[in-house]
Amino acid sequence: RIGTPRYGAPEVFHIPGAGGDAETDVTGAYTEKADVYSAAVILWYLIAGRRPKLDIRRDAAARPDIEAARRRWPEAAALLERMWAGEPGRRPSAEECVAWIRRLPLRAGACGLW
């Protein structure tokens, strides 16, 4: 079982062109990089304060509105873009994400849910 399409990485849904080229057409690969993608969508949700309206099975290139995150926490937007890169090999490792998050400046009101 692979979870909810709203938060799932494109490569786990066997979508042609999910990674942006023929090499990643139908991988079905579930690796740490798929979890990094999902974590990015959840982090966006926390920052934007609303659920993403995505179904990656219909549009492999769909991503949440980065500007919603950039307005609240601009420093986090660059990390989000790296974490939900279309090609899994371009996403940082979970360890790199944690290190980056620890270096982000805290912002009052940055997250829409608190």
Side-chain angles (χ1 to χ4, degrees):
R1 308 212 28 110
I2 55 174
T4 307
R6 180 184 312 247
Y7 304 99
E11 67 270 13
V12 301
F13 292 102
H14 300 275
I15 302 169
D21 59 36
E23 291 181 19
T24 56
D25 270 358
V26 185
T27 64
Y30 192 95
T31 67
E32 171 194 36
K33 302 298 183 155
D35 291 334
V36 166
Y37 177 98
S38 297
V41 178
I42 292 167
L43 181 57
W44 179 90
Y45 179 9
L46 291 171
I47 294 169
R50 64 181 191 263
R51 291 174 60 183
K53 294 179 180 163
L54 302 173
D55 186 343
I56 207 70
R57 294 173 300 178
R58 293 189 183 148
D59 183 1
R63 302 293 183 273
D65 174 21
I66 193 64
E67 292 308 315
R70 195 179 316 279
R71 282 190 297 275
R72 289 182 180 246
W73 201 359
E75 299 86 356
L79 175 60
L80 289 174
E81 290 177 313
R82 288 190 62 216
M83 290 174 70
W84 66 39
E87 185 181 325
R90 297 187 64 207
R91 297 178 200 147
S93 69
E95 187 175 321
E96 290 172 299
C97 293
V98 169
W100 189 321
I101 289 167
R102 286 183 173 155
R103 290 190 307 267
L104 286 173
L106 296 178
R107 290 186 174 272
C111 291
L113 298 181
W114 64 79

